[in-house]
Coordinates of all heavy atoms in Angstrom, one line a residue:
M1 N 26.8 -38.4 -15.6 CA 26.4 -38.5 -14.2 C 24.9 -38.4 -14.1 O 24.3 -37.5 -14.6 CB 27.1 -37.4 -13.4 CG 26.8 -37.4 -12.0 SD 27.8 -36.1 -11.2 CE 27.2 -36.3 -9.6
R2 N 24.3 -39.3 -13.3 CA 22.8 -39.3 -13.1 C 22.5 -38.7 -11.8 O 23.1 -38.8 -10.8 CB 22.3 -40.8 -13.1 CG 22.5 -41.4 -14.4 CD 21.9 -42.8 -14.4 NE 20.5 -42.8 -14.1 CZ 19.8 -43.7 -13.6 NH1 20.4 -44.9 -13.3 NH2 18.5 -43.6 -13.3
N3 N 21.3 -37.9 -11.8 CA 20.8 -37.4 -10.6 C 19.9 -38.4 -9.9 O 19.2 -39.1 -10.5 CB 19.9 -36.1 -10.9 CG 20.8 -35.0 -11.4 OD1 22.0 -34.9 -11.1 ND2 20.2 -34.1 -12.1
H4 N 20.0 -38.4 -8.6 CA 19.2 -39.2 -7.8 C 17.7 -38.7 -7.9 O 17.5 -37.5 -7.9 CB 19.6 -39.1 -6.3 CG 19.0 -40.1 -5.4 ND1 17.7 -39.9 -4.8 CD2 19.3 -41.4 -5.1 CE1 17.4 -40.9 -4.1 NE2 18.3 -41.8 -4.2
P5 N 16.7 -39.6 -8.0 CA 15.3 -39.2 -8.1 C 14.9 -38.3 -7.0 O 14.1 -37.4 -7.2 CB 14.5 -40.5 -8.1 CG 15.5 -41.6 -8.5 CD 16.8 -41.1 -8.1
G6 N 15.3 -38.5 -5.8 CA 15.0 -37.6 -4.7 C 15.5 -36.2 -4.9 O 14.9 -35.2 -4.5
A7 N 16.7 -36.1 -5.5 CA 17.3 -34.7 -5.7 C 16.4 -34.0 -6.8 O 16.2 -32.8 -6.6 CB 18.7 -34.9 -6.2
R8 N 15.9 -34.6 -7.8 CA 15.1 -34.0 -8.8 C 13.8 -33.4 -8.1 O 13.4 -32.3 -8.4 CB 14.7 -34.9 -9.9 CG 15.9 -35.1 -10.9 CD 15.3 -35.8 -12.1 NE 14.9 -37.1 -11.8 CZ 15.5 -38.3 -12.1 NH1 16.7 -38.2 -12.7 NH2 15.0 -39.4 -11.8
S9 N 13.1 -34.2 -7.3 CA 11.9 -33.7 -6.6 C 12.2 -32.5 -5.7 O 11.4 -31.6 -5.5 CB 11.2 -34.8 -5.9 OG 12.0 -35.3 -4.8
L10 N 13.4 -32.5 -5.0 CA 13.8 -31.5 -4.1 C 14.0 -30.2 -4.9 O 13.5 -29.1 -4.5 CB 15.1 -31.8 -3.4 CG 15.6 -30.7 -2.5 CD1 14.6 -30.4 -1.3 CD2 17.0 -31.1 -1.9
V11 N 14.6 -30.3 -6.1 CA 14.8 -29.1 -6.9 C 13.5 -28.5 -7.4 O 13.2 -27.3 -7.3 CB 15.7 -29.4 -8.2 CG1 15.7 -28.3 -9.2 CG2 17.1 -29.7 -7.7
R12 N 12.5 -29.4 -7.8 CA 11.2 -29.0 -8.2 C 10.5 -28.3 -7.1 O 9.8 -27.3 -7.2 CB 10.4 -30.1 -8.7 CG 10.6 -30.4 -10.2 CD 9.6 -31.4 -10.7 NE 10.4 -32.6 -11.1 CZ 10.3 -33.8 -10.7 NH1 9.4 -34.1 -9.8 NH2 11.1 -34.7 -11.0
A13 N 10.5 -28.9 -5.9 CA 9.9 -28.3 -4.7 C 10.4 -27.0 -4.3 O 9.7 -26.1 -3.9 CB 10.0 -29.3 -3.5
C14 N 11.7 -26.8 -4.5 CA 12.3 -25.5 -4.1 C 12.1 -24.4 -5.1 O 12.1 -23.2 -4.8 CB 13.9 -25.7 -3.9 SG 14.2 -26.6 -2.4
S15 N 11.9 -24.8 -6.4 CA 11.7 -23.8 -7.4 C 10.4 -23.1 -7.4 O 10.2 -22.0 -7.7 CB 12.0 -24.4 -8.8 OG 11.0 -25.4 -9.1
L16 N 9.3 -23.8 -6.9 CA 8.0 -23.2 -6.8 C 7.9 -22.0 -5.9 O 7.5 -21.0 -6.3 CB 7.0 -24.3 -6.4 CG 5.5 -23.8 -6.3 CD1 5.1 -23.2 -7.7 CD2 4.6 -24.8 -5.9
P17 N 8.4 -22.1 -4.7 CA 8.4 -20.9 -3.8 C 9.2 -19.7 -4.4 O 8.8 -18.6 -4.4 CB 9.0 -21.3 -2.5 CG 8.8 -22.8 -2.5 CD 8.9 -23.2 -3.9
F18 N 10.3 -20.0 -5.1 CA 11.1 -19.0 -5.8 C 10.3 -18.3 -6.8 O 10.3 -17.1 -7.0 CB 12.4 -19.6 -6.3 CG 13.2 -18.6 -7.1 CD1 13.9 -17.6 -6.4 CD2 13.2 -18.6 -8.5 CE1 14.6 -16.7 -7.2 CE2 13.9 -17.6 -9.2 CZ 14.6 -16.7 -8.5
L19 N 9.6 -19.1 -7.7 CA 8.8 -18.5 -8.7 C 7.6 -17.6 -8.1 O 7.3 -16.6 -8.7 CB 8.2 -19.6 -9.6 CG 9.2 -20.3 -10.5 CD1 8.5 -21.5 -11.2 CD2 9.9 -19.4 -11.5
L20 N 7.0 -18.1 -7.1 CA 6.0 -17.3 -6.4 C 6.5 -16.0 -5.9 O 5.9 -14.9 -6.0 CB 5.3 -18.1 -5.3 CG 4.5 -19.3 -5.7 CD1 4.0 -20.1 -4.5 CD2 3.3 -18.9 -6.6
L21 N 7.7 -16.0 -5.3 CA 8.3 -14.8 -4.8 C 8.7 -13.8 -5.9 O 8.4 -12.6 -5.8 CB 9.6 -15.1 -4.0 CG 9.3 -15.7 -2.6 CD1 10.7 -16.1 -2.0 CD2 8.6 -14.7 -1.7
A22 N 9.2 -14.4 -7.0 CA 9.5 -13.5 -8.2 C 8.2 -12.9 -8.7 O 8.2 -11.7 -9.1 CB 10.2 -14.4 -9.2
A23 N 7.1 -13.6 -8.8 CA 5.9 -13.1 -9.4 C 5.3 -12.0 -8.4 O 4.8 -11.0 -8.8 CB 4.9 -14.2 -9.5
A24 N 5.4 -12.3 -7.1 CA 5.0 -11.3 -6.1 C 5.8 -10.0 -6.2 O 5.2 -8.9 -6.2 CB 5.0 -11.8 -4.7
G25 N 7.1 -10.1 -6.5 CA 7.9 -8.9 -6.6 C 7.5 -8.1 -7.8 O 7.4 -6.9 -7.8
T26 N 7.2 -8.8 -8.9 CA 6.8 -8.1 -10.1 C 5.4 -7.4 -9.9 O 5.2 -6.3 -10.4 CB 6.7 -9.1 -11.3 OG1 7.9 -9.7 -11.4 CG2 6.3 -8.4 -12.6
A27 N 4.5 -8.1 -9.3 CA 3.2 -7.6 -9.0 C 3.3 -6.4 -8.1 O 2.5 -5.4 -8.3 CB 2.2 -8.6 -8.5
Q28 N 4.1 -6.4 -7.1 CA 4.3 -5.3 -6.2 C 4.8 -4.1 -6.9 O 4.4 -3.0 -6.6 CB 5.2 -5.7 -5.1 CG 5.3 -4.7 -3.9 CD 6.1 -5.2 -2.8 OE1 6.9 -6.1 -3.0 NE2 5.9 -4.6 -1.7
A29 N 5.7 -4.3 -7.9 CA 6.3 -3.1 -8.6 C 5.2 -2.4 -9.3 O 5.3 -1.2 -9.5 CB 7.4 -3.6 -9.5
A30 N 4.2 -3.1 -9.8 CA 3.1 -2.4 -10.5 C 1.9 -2.3 -9.6 O 0.7 -2.2 -10.1 CB 2.7 -3.3 -11.7
G31 N 2.1 -2.1 -8.3 CA 1.0 -2.1 -7.3 C 0.3 -0.7 -7.2 O 0.4 0.1 -8.1
P32 N -0.4 -0.5 -6.1 CA -1.2 0.7 -5.9 C -0.3 1.9 -5.8 O 0.9 1.9 -5.5 CB -1.8 0.4 -4.6 CG -1.6 -1.0 -4.3 CD -0.5 -1.5 -5.0
D33 N -0.9 3.1 -6.1 CA -0.3 4.4 -6.1 C -0.3 4.9 -4.7 O 0.6 5.8 -4.3 CB -1.0 5.4 -7.0 CG -0.9 4.9 -8.5 OD1 0.1 4.5 -8.9 OD2 -2.0 5.1 -9.1
F34 N -1.2 4.5 -3.8 CA -1.3 4.9 -2.5 C -1.6 3.7 -1.6 O -2.5 3.0 -1.9 CB -2.4 6.0 -2.3 CG -2.5 6.5 -1.0 CD1 -1.7 7.5 -0.5 CD2 -3.6 6.1 -0.1 CE1 -1.8 8.0 0.8 CE2 -3.7 6.6 1.1 CZ -2.9 7.5 1.6
Q35 N -0.8 3.6 -0.5 CA -1.0 2.5 0.4 C -1.0 3.0 1.8 O -0.3 3.9 2.1 CB 0.0 1.4 0.3 CG -0.1 0.6 -1.0 CD 1.0 -0.5 -1.0 OE1 2.1 -0.3 -0.8 NE2 0.5 -1.7 -1.3
Y36 N -1.7 2.3 2.7 CA -1.7 2.6 4.1 C -2.1 1.4 4.9 O -2.7 0.5 4.4 CB -2.6 3.8 4.5 CG -4.1 3.5 4.2 CD1 -4.9 3.0 5.2 CD2 -4.7 3.7 3.0 CE1 -6.3 2.7 5.0 CE2 -6.0 3.4 2.7 CZ -6.8 3.0 3.7 OH -8.1 2.7 3.5
V37 N -1.7 1.4 6.2 CA -2.1 0.3 7.1 C -3.2 0.8 7.9 O -3.2 1.9 8.5 CB -0.9 0.0 8.1 CG1 -1.3 -1.1 9.1 CG2 0.3 -0.5 7.3
G38 N -4.3 0.1 7.9 CA -5.5 0.5 8.6 C -5.5 0.1 10.0 O -4.7 -0.7 10.5
Q39 N -6.5 0.6 10.8 CA -6.6 0.2 12.2 C -7.0 -1.3 12.3 O -6.9 -1.9 13.3 CB -7.7 1.1 12.8 CG -7.3 2.5 13.0 CD -8.4 3.4 13.5 OE1 -9.5 3.0 13.7 NE2 -8.1 4.7 13.7
D40 N -7.4 -1.9 11.2 CA -7.8 -3.3 11.1 C -6.5 -4.1 10.8 O -6.6 -5.3 10.6 CB -8.8 -3.5 10.0 CG -8.4 -3.1 8.6 OD1 -7.2 -2.6 8.5 OD2 -9.2 -3.3 7.7
D41 N -5.3 -3.5 10.9 CA -4.0 -4.2 10.6 C -3.9 -4.8 9.2 O -3.1 -5.7 9.0 CB -3.7 -5.2 11.7 CG -3.4 -4.6 13.1 OD1 -2.9 -3.5 13.1 OD2 -3.8 -5.2 14.1
Q42 N -4.7 -4.3 8.3 CA -4.6 -4.7 6.9 C -4.0 -3.6 6.1 O -4.1 -2.4 6.4 CB -6.0 -5.0 6.3 CG -6.7 -6.1 7.1 CD -6.1 -7.4 6.9 OE1 -5.7 -7.8 5.8 NE2 -5.9 -8.2 8.0
V43 N -3.2 -4.0 5.0 CA -2.7 -3.0 4.1 C -3.8 -2.8 3.0 O -4.3 -3.7 2.4 CB -1.4 -3.6 3.4 CG1 -0.9 -2.6 2.4 CG2 -0.3 -3.8 4.5
H44 N -4.1 -1.5 2.8 CA -5.1 -1.1 1.9 C -4.3 -0.3 0.8 O -3.4 0.5 1.1 CB -6.1 -0.2 2.5 CG -6.9 -0.9 3.6 ND1 -8.0 -1.5 3.4 CD2 -6.6 -1.0 4.9 CE1 -8.5 -2.1 4.5 NE2 -7.6 -1.7 5.5
G45 N -4.8 -0.4 -0.5 CA -4.1 0.2 -1.6 C -5.1 0.8 -2.5 O -6.2 0.3 -2.7
L46 N -4.7 1.9 -3.1 CA -5.6 2.6 -4.1 C -4.7 2.9 -5.4 O -3.6 3.3 -5.3 CB -6.1 3.9 -3.6 CG -6.9 3.9 -2.3 CD1 -7.0 5.3 -1.8 CD2 -8.2 3.3 -2.6
T47 N -5.3 2.6 -6.5 CA -4.7 2.9 -7.8 C -5.3 4.1 -8.4 O -6.6 4.1 -8.6 CB -4.7 1.7 -8.7 OG1 -4.1 0.6 -8.1 CG2 -4.0 1.9 -10.0
A48 N -4.5 5.1 -8.8 CA -5.0 6.3 -9.4 C -6.1 7.0 -8.6 O -7.2 7.3 -9.2 CB -5.4 6.1 -10.9
P49 N -5.9 7.3 -7.3 CA -7.0 7.9 -6.5 C -7.2 9.3 -7.0 O -6.3 10.0 -7.4 CB -6.4 7.8 -5.1 CG -5.0 7.8 -5.3 CD -4.7 7.0 -6.6
K50 N -8.4 9.8 -6.9 CA -8.8 11.2 -7.3 C -9.8 11.7 -6.2 O -10.6 11.0 -5.7 CB -9.5 11.2 -8.6 CG -8.6 10.8 -9.7 CD -9.3 10.8 -11.0 CE -8.4 10.3 -12.2 NZ -9.1 10.2 -13.4
G51 N -9.6 13.0 -5.9 CA -10.5 13.7 -5.0 C -10.5 13.1 -3.6 O -9.4 12.7 -3.1
C52 N -11.6 13.1 -2.9 CA -11.7 12.7 -1.5 C -12.0 11.2 -1.5 O -12.9 10.7 -2.2 CB -12.7 13.5 -0.8 SG -12.8 13.0 0.9
V53 N -11.2 10.4 -0.7 CA -11.4 9.0 -0.6 C -11.5 8.6 0.8 O -10.7 9.1 1.7 CB -10.2 8.2 -1.3 CG1 -10.3 6.7 -1.1 CG2 -10.1 8.6 -2.7
R54 N -12.5 7.8 1.2 CA -12.7 7.3 2.5 C -11.6 6.2 2.8 O -11.3 5.4 2.0 CB -14.0 6.6 2.6 CG -14.3 6.1 4.0 CD -15.7 5.5 4.1 NE -16.2 5.8 5.4 CZ -17.4 5.9 5.6 NH1 -18.3 5.7 4.7 NH2 -17.8 6.3 6.9
A55 N -11.0 6.3 4.0 CA -10.0 5.3 4.4 C -10.7 4.0 5.0 O -11.2 4.0 6.1 CB -9.1 5.9 5.5
L56 N -10.8 3.0 4.1 CA -11.4 1.8 4.5 C -10.5 1.1 5.6 O -9.3 1.2 5.5 CB -11.5 0.8 3.3 CG -12.4 1.3 2.2 CD1 -12.4 0.3 1.1 CD2 -13.8 1.5 2.7
G57 N -11.2 0.6 6.6 CA -10.4 0.0 7.7 C -9.9 1.0 8.7 O -9.2 0.6 9.6
G58 N -10.2 2.3 8.5 CA -9.7 3.3 9.4 C -8.2 3.5 9.3 O -7.5 2.6 9.8
G59 N -7.8 4.5 8.6 CA -6.4 4.7 8.4 C -5.6 4.9 9.7 O -6.0 5.6 10.6
S60 N -4.4 4.3 9.7 CA -3.5 4.5 10.9 C -2.1 4.1 10.5 O -1.9 3.4 9.5 CB -4.0 3.5 12.0 OG -3.2 3.6 13.1
R61 N -1.2 4.6 11.2 CA 0.2 4.2 11.0 C 0.8 4.7 9.7 O 0.5 5.8 9.2 CB 0.5 2.7 11.3 CG 0.1 2.4 12.7 CD 0.6 1.0 13.0 NE -0.3 0.1 12.3 CZ -0.7 -1.1 12.8 NH1 -0.4 -1.4 14.0 NH2 -1.4 -1.9 12.1
A62 N 1.5 3.8 9.0 CA 2.3 4.2 7.8 C 1.4 4.4 6.6 O 0.5 3.7 6.4 CB 3.3 3.1 7.5
A63 N 1.8 5.4 5.8 CA 1.1 5.7 4.5 C 2.2 5.9 3.5 O 3.3 6.5 3.8 CB 0.2 6.9 4.6
T64 N 2.0 5.4 2.3 CA 3.0 5.6 1.2 C 2.2 6.3 0.0 O 1.3 5.8 -0.5 CB 3.5 4.3 0.7 OG1 4.2 3.6 1.8 CG2 4.5 4.5 -0.4
N65 N 2.7 7.5 -0.3 CA 2.1 8.2 -1.4 C 3.0 8.2 -2.7 O 4.0 8.9 -2.8 CB 1.9 9.7 -1.0 CG 1.2 10.5 -2.1 OD1 0.7 10.0 -3.1 ND2 1.2 11.8 -1.9
S66 N 2.7 7.3 -3.6 CA 3.4 7.1 -4.8 C 2.7 7.8 -6.0 O 2.9 7.6 -7.1 CB 3.6 5.7 -5.2 OG 4.4 5.0 -4.2
T67 N 1.7 8.7 -5.6 CA 1.0 9.4 -6.7 C 1.8 10.6 -7.1 O 2.9 10.8 -6.6 CB -0.4 10.0 -6.1 OG1 -0.1 11.0 -5.2 CG2 -1.2 8.9 -5.5
R68 N 1.4 11.4 -8.1 CA 2.1 12.5 -8.6 C 1.8 13.8 -7.8 O 2.4 14.8 -8.0 CB 1.8 12.7 -10.0 CG 2.3 11.6 -10.9 CD 1.7 11.7 -12.3 NE 2.7 11.6 -13.3 CZ 2.5 11.9 -14.5 NH1 1.3 12.4 -14.9 NH2 3.4 11.8 -15.4
G69 N 0.8 13.7 -6.9 CA 0.4 14.9 -6.1 C 0.4 14.6 -4.6 O 0.9 13.6 -4.2
T70 N -0.1 15.6 -3.9 CA -0.1 15.5 -2.5 C -1.3 14.7 -2.0 O -2.4 14.7 -2.6 CB -0.1 16.9 -1.8 OG1 -1.3 17.6 -2.3 CG2 1.1 17.7 -2.1
A71 N -1.2 14.2 -0.8 CA -2.3 13.5 -0.1 C -2.5 14.2 1.2 O -1.6 14.3 2.0 CB -1.9 12.0 0.2
T72 N -3.7 14.8 1.4 CA -4.1 15.5 2.6 C -5.0 14.7 3.4 O -6.0 14.2 2.9 CB -4.7 16.8 2.2 OG1 -3.9 17.6 1.4 CG2 -5.0 17.7 3.5
F73 N -4.6 14.4 4.7 CA -5.3 13.5 5.6 C -6.3 14.3 6.5 O -5.9 15.3 7.0 CB -4.3 12.7 6.4 CG -3.4 11.9 5.6 CD1 -2.3 12.4 5.0 CD2 -3.7 10.5 5.4 CE1 -1.4 11.6 4.2 CE2 -2.9 9.7 4.6 CZ -1.7 10.3 4.0
Y74 N -7.4 13.7 6.7 CA -8.5 14.3 7.6 C -8.9 13.2 8.6 O -9.1 12.1 8.3 CB -9.7 14.7 6.8 CG -9.3 15.9 5.8 CD1 -8.8 15.6 4.6 CD2 -9.5 17.2 6.2 CE1 -8.5 16.6 3.7 CE2 -9.2 18.2 5.3 CZ -8.7 17.9 4.1 OH -8.4 18.9 3.2
R75 N -9.2 13.7 9.8 CA -9.7 12.8 10.9 C -11.1 12.5 10.7 O -11.6 11.5 11.1 CB -9.4 13.5 12.2 CG -9.7 12.5 13.4 CD -9.2 13.0 14.7 NE -7.7 12.9 14.6 CZ -6.9 13.6 15.4 NH1 -7.4 14.5 16.3 NH2 -5.6 13.5 15.3
E76 N -11.8 13.4 10.0 CA -13.3 13.2 9.7 C -13.5 12.6 8.3 O -12.7 12.8 7.4 CB -14.0 14.6 9.8 CG -13.8 15.3 11.1 CD -14.3 14.6 12.3 OE1 -15.4 13.9 12.2 OE2 -13.7 14.6 13.3
P77 N -14.7 11.9 8.2 CA -15.0 11.4 6.8 C -15.3 12.5 5.9 O -15.5 13.7 6.3 CB -16.3 10.6 7.1 CG -16.4 10.4 8.6 CD -15.6 11.5 9.2
D78 N -15.3 12.2 4.6 CA -15.6 13.2 3.5 C -14.7 14.4 3.5 O -15.0 15.5 3.1 CB -17.1 13.7 3.6 CG -18.0 12.5 3.6 OD1 -17.8 11.6 2.8 OD2 -19.0 12.5 4.4
C79 N -13.4 14.2 4.0 CA -12.4 15.2 3.9 C -12.9 16.6 4.6 O -12.6 17.6 4.1 CB -11.9 15.5 2.5 SG -11.2 14.0 1.8
S80 N -13.6 16.4 5.7 CA -14.1 17.6 6.3 C -13.3 17.9 7.6 O -12.6 17.1 8.1 CB -15.6 17.4 6.7 OG -15.8 16.3 7.6
G81 N -13.4 19.1 8.1 CA -12.7 19.6 9.2 C -11.3 20.0 8.8 O -11.0 20.2 7.7
R82 N -10.4 20.2 9.8 CA -9.1 20.7 9.6 C -8.2 19.5 9.1 O -8.3 18.4 9.6 CB -8.5 21.2 10.9 CG -9.1 22.6 11.3 CD -8.4 23.1 12.5 NE -7.0 22.8 12.6 CZ -6.3 22.8 13.7 NH1 -6.9 23.1 14.8 NH2 -5.0 22.5 13.7
P83 N -7.3 19.8 8.1 CA -6.4 18.8 7.7 C -5.5 18.3 8.9 O -5.1 19.1 9.7 CB -5.5 19.4 6.6 CG -6.4 20.6 6.2 CD -7.1 21.0 7.4
L84 N -5.3 17.0 8.9 CA -4.4 16.4 10.0 C -3.0 16.4 9.6 O -2.1 16.7 10.4 CB -4.9 15.0 10.2 CG -4.2 14.1 11.2 CD1 -4.4 14.7 12.6 CD2 -4.8 12.7 11.2
A85 N -2.7 16.1 8.3 CA -1.3 16.0 7.8 C -1.4 16.0 6.3 O -2.4 15.8 5.7 CB -0.7 14.7 8.3
V86 N -0.2 16.4 5.7 CA 0.0 16.4 4.2 C 1.2 15.5 3.9 O 2.2 15.7 4.5 CB 0.1 17.8 3.7 CG1 0.4 17.8 2.2 CG2 -1.1 18.6 4.0
L87 N 1.0 14.6 2.9 CA 2.1 13.8 2.5 C 2.4 14.1 1.1 O 1.5 13.9 0.2 CB 1.8 12.3 2.7 CG 2.8 11.3 2.6 CD1 3.9 11.5 3.7 CD2 2.3 9.9 2.8
E88 N 3.6 14.6 0.8 CA 4.0 15.0 -0.6 C 4.1 13.8 -1.5 O 4.3 12.6 -1.0 CB 5.3 15.8 -0.6 CG 5.2 17.1 0.2 CD 4.2 18.1 -0.4 OE1 4.1 18.1 -1.7 OE2 3.6 18.8 0.3
A89 N 4.1 14.0 -2.8 CA 4.3 12.9 -3.7 C 5.6 12.2 -3.5 O 6.6 12.8 -3.2 CB 4.3 13.5 -5.2
G90 N 5.6 10.9 -3.6 CA 6.8 10.1 -3.4 C 7.3 9.9 -2.0 O 8.4 9.4 -1.8
R91 N 6.5 10.3 -1.0 CA 6.9 10.2 0.4 C 6.2 9.1 1.2 O 5.1 8.7 0.8 CB 6.7 11.6 1.1 CG 7.3 12.8 0.4 CD 8.8 12.7 0.4 NE 9.4 12.6 1.8 CZ 10.1 13.5 2.4 NH1 10.4 14.6 1.7 NH2 10.5 13.3 3.6
V92 N 6.8 8.7 2.3 CA 6.2 7.8 3.2 C 6.2 8.5 4.6 O 7.1 9.2 4.9 CB 7.1 6.5 3.3 CG1 6.6 5.6 4.4 CG2 7.2 5.8 2.0
G93 N 5.1 8.3 5.3 CA 5.0 8.9 6.6 C 4.1 8.2 7.6 O 3.4 7.3 7.2
Q94 N 4.2 8.6 8.8 CA 3.4 8.1 9.9 C 2.3 9.1 10.1 O 2.5 10.3 10.4 CB 4.2 7.9 11.2 CG 5.3 6.9 11.1 CD 4.7 5.5 11.1 OE1 3.7 5.2 11.7 NE2 5.4 4.6 10.4
I95 N 1.0 8.7 10.0 CA -0.1 9.6 10.2 C -0.8 9.1 11.6 O -1.4 8.1 11.6 CB -1.1 9.5 9.1 CG1 -0.5 9.6 7.7 CG2 -2.2 10.5 9.3 CD1 0.3 10.8 7.5
R96 N -0.6 9.9 12.6 CA -1.1 9.6 13.9 C -2.1 10.6 14.4 O -2.0 11.7 14.1 CB 0.1 9.6 14.9 CG 1.2 8.6 14.5 CD 1.1 7.4 15.4 NE 2.2 6.5 15.1 CZ 2.2 5.2 15.2 NH1 1.1 4.7 15.6 NH2 3.2 4.5 15.0
P97 N -3.1 10.2 15.2 CA -3.3 8.8 15.6 C -4.1 8.0 14.6 O -3.9 6.8 14.5 CB -4.1 9.0 16.9 CG -4.9 10.3 16.7 CD -3.9 11.1 15.9
Y98 N -4.9 8.6 13.7 CA -5.6 7.9 12.7 C -6.2 8.9 11.7 O -6.2 10.1 11.9 CB -6.8 7.1 13.3 CG -7.9 8.0 13.9 CD1 -8.9 8.4 13.1 CD2 -7.8 8.4 15.2 CE1 -9.9 9.2 13.7 CE2 -8.7 9.2 15.8 CZ -9.8 9.6 15.0 OH -10.8 10.4 15.6
F99 N -6.7 8.4 10.6 CA -7.4 9.3 9.6 C -8.6 8.6 9.0 O -8.6 7.3 9.0 CB -6.4 9.8 8.5 CG -5.8 8.7 7.7 CD1 -6.3 8.3 6.5 CD2 -4.6 8.1 8.2 CE1 -5.7 7.3 5.8 CE2 -4.0 7.1 7.4 CZ -4.5 6.7 6.2
A100 N -9.6 9.3 8.7 CA -10.8 8.7 8.1 C -11.0 8.9 6.6 O -11.7 8.2 6.0 CB -12.0 9.3 8.8
S101 N -10.3 10.0 6.1 CA -10.4 10.2 4.7 C -9.1 11.0 4.2 O -8.4 11.5 5.0 CB -11.6 11.1 4.4 OG -11.6 12.3 5.1
V102 N -8.9 10.9 2.9 CA -7.7 11.5 2.2 C -8.2 12.2 1.0 O -8.9 11.6 0.2 CB -6.7 10.4 1.9 CG1 -5.4 11.1 1.3 CG2 -6.3 9.5 3.1
R103 N -7.7 13.4 0.8 CA -7.9 14.2 -0.5 C -6.6 14.2 -1.3 O -5.6 14.5 -0.8 CB -8.4 15.6 -0.2 CG -8.6 16.3 -1.5 CD -9.3 17.7 -1.3 NE -10.5 17.6 -0.6 CZ -11.7 17.3 -1.2 NH1 -11.8 16.9 -2.4 NH2 -12.8 17.3 -0.4
F104 N -6.8 13.8 -2.5 CA -5.7 13.7 -3.5 C -5.7 14.9 -4.4 O -6.8 15.2 -4.9 CB -5.7 12.4 -4.3 CG -5.4 11.2 -3.4 CD1 -6.5 10.5 -2.8 CD2 -4.2 10.8 -3.1 CE1 -6.3 9.5 -2.0 CE2 -3.9 9.8 -2.2 CZ -5.0 9.1 -1.7
S105 N -4.6 15.6 -4.5 CA -4.6 16.8 -5.4 C -4.7 16.3 -6.9 O -4.4 15.2 -7.2 CB -3.3 17.6 -5.2 OG -2.2 16.8 -5.6
V106 N -5.2 17.2 -7.7 CA -5.4 16.9 -9.1 C -4.1 17.2 -9.8 O -3.5 18.2 -9.6 CB -6.5 17.8 -9.7 CG1 -6.7 17.5 -11.2 CG2 -7.8 17.6 -8.9
T107 N -3.7 16.1 -10.6 CA -2.5 16.3 -11.3 C -2.8 16.0 -12.8 O -3.7 15.3 -13.1 CB -1.4 15.3 -10.8 OG1 -1.9 14.0 -10.9 CG2 -1.0 15.6 -9.4
R108 N -1.9 16.5 -13.7 CA -2.1 16.2 -15.1 C -0.9 15.5 -15.7 O 0.1 15.6 -15.2 CB -2.4 17.5 -15.8 CG -3.6 18.1 -15.4 CD -3.9 19.4 -16.2 NE -5.0 20.1 -15.5 CZ -6.1 20.3 -16.1 NH1 -6.3 20.0 -17.3 NH2 -7.0 21.0 -15.5

């Protein structure tokens, strides 16, 4: 049985998006250890964050802490002032109304 030439091009065209999705899924699995949505509506990610880190784009809304330690959020830059919230390792949370910096606990 022979395939119609149009059917072959359709199969090729459909396989490319599938391969891109599969590659994106693999890349996401090895993605950042800490992610958050900024006030700029962009997703920001950090790999192996240490100490105090400035929240680029102004941190807001959801944050995911996939590090081995806690993430402590501050409304002020340079992790100054009173802590706003703490997100334990492996947790996801809403940090409202916003945060300017995050301190990551030291883990070994």
Side-chain angles (χ1 to χ4, degrees):
M1 180 173 176
R2 291 184 61 207
N3 289 336
H4 188 275
R8 283 193 296 255
S9 64
L10 177 63
V11 168
R12 271 188 248 123
C14 290
S15 62
L16 181 60
F18 175 75
L19 291 174
L20 291 174
L21 286 173
T26 304
Q28 187 176 20
D33 298 317
F34 180 78
Q35 289 184 309
Y36 64 93
V37 178
Q39 293 173 356
D40 58 0
D41 291 327
Q42 301 293 314
V43 176
H44 299 269
L46 302 168
T47 301
K50 294 179 183 174
C52 182
V53 178
R54 178 180 221 152
L56 299 177
S60 177
R61 299 189 291 219
T64 303
N65 183 10
S66 297
T67 68
R68 296 168 129 192
T70 59
T72 304
F73 298 85
Y74 295 85
R75 191 166 287 158
E76 303 300 322
D78 303 319
C79 300
S80 60
R82 288 184 34 202
L84 178 65
V86 175
L87 193 58
E88 298 295 325
R91 303 296 302 245
V92 176
Q94 296 287 328
I95 311 302
R96 299 257 185 211
Y98 65 91
F99 58 96
S101 56
V102 184
R103 179 172 303 282
F104 295 92
S105 63
V106 178
T107 59
R108 294 181 192 243

